[in-house]
Amino acid sequence: HVSRMIVSGAWPAGHRLPSEVDLVDQLGVSRMTVNRALRELVAQGRITRVPGVGSYVAQEKPQSTLLQVGILADEIRQRGNAYRCQILALEQQVAPVGVGFLLDLLPGEVVFRTVCLHFENDSPVQFEERYVSPRMVPHLLEQDFTATTPAEFLARNVSVDQIEHVVDAVMPGKHLARRLAMSAGEPCLLLTRRPWIREHPVSVVRCWHPAARY
């Protein structure tokens, strides 16, 4: 509730929040829940608390990141190598439970799914599975992906303001290992990304790379 009021602009920087007692009355939750939520908002830098005075919307701070999410096709071409993409799936389906949770979708809502295999000089270097929220990108499946990829389209047409980025080392299953032309026992680098626009998740994508080729 507090985050929505801040993001919407209803509570600008410096605005004094209702007291804990007022929030308990308004929201019908316990004092402990309100106190914990406010402490978490302080930790996130969204609000500041002055003991004995009250809580205020924090001044917006400039943010930067050490992470740059590049476009794989551009990276490969910049190395002077040939790039191509094989689209294995481009479909609409009922969101799997885990995906629906990550994209804030209701049970039974549909999601867009794309699966791509990326090549560098005819060697597979990335298997990409992406789920996209139709709420955020309603016209995704109407695009012509013969000249571009879903990743390129989203990077150039959807301006996200926050990205969750997780890096893992995993062993691929047999099907994935075959797709990536990997030998038995070779590990993968798995990159998982979830971008947001104004606190609304846009997509969740998992990219598997043969460790020896990334």
Side-chain angles (χ1 to χ4, degrees), residues 34-121:
V34 170
N35 183 268
R36 177 178 174 182
L38 294 178
R39 282 189 284 109
E40 290 181 1
L41 289 166
V42 170
Q44 294 169 14
R46 289 182 172 273
I47 68 172
T48 58
R49 306 191 76 182
V50 180
V53 178
S55 300
Y56 297 83
V57 178
Q59 296 292 330
E60 189 169 339
K61 299 180 179 64
Q63 295 185 5
S64 63
T65 176
L66 297 177
L67 173 67
Q68 285 189 324
V69 179
I71 297 174
L72 182 63
D74 292 344
E75 294 175 4
I76 290 173
R77 291 172 182 136
Q78 287 168 6
R79 290 195 287 268
N81 295 329
Y83 167 82
R84 68 180 176 91
C85 173
Q86 180 183 359
I87 295 184
L88 305 176
L90 191 64
E91 61 191 9
Q92 175 178 299
Q93 64 179 63
V94 174
V97 174
V99 171
F101 174 78
L102 291 172
L103 294 179
D104 286 349
L105 299 176
L106 298 173
E109 278 198 77
V110 298
V111 69
F112 299 144
R113 177 176 178 261
T114 67
V115 180
C116 301
L117 187 59
H118 302 271
F119 294 83
E120 182 170 5
N121 291 338

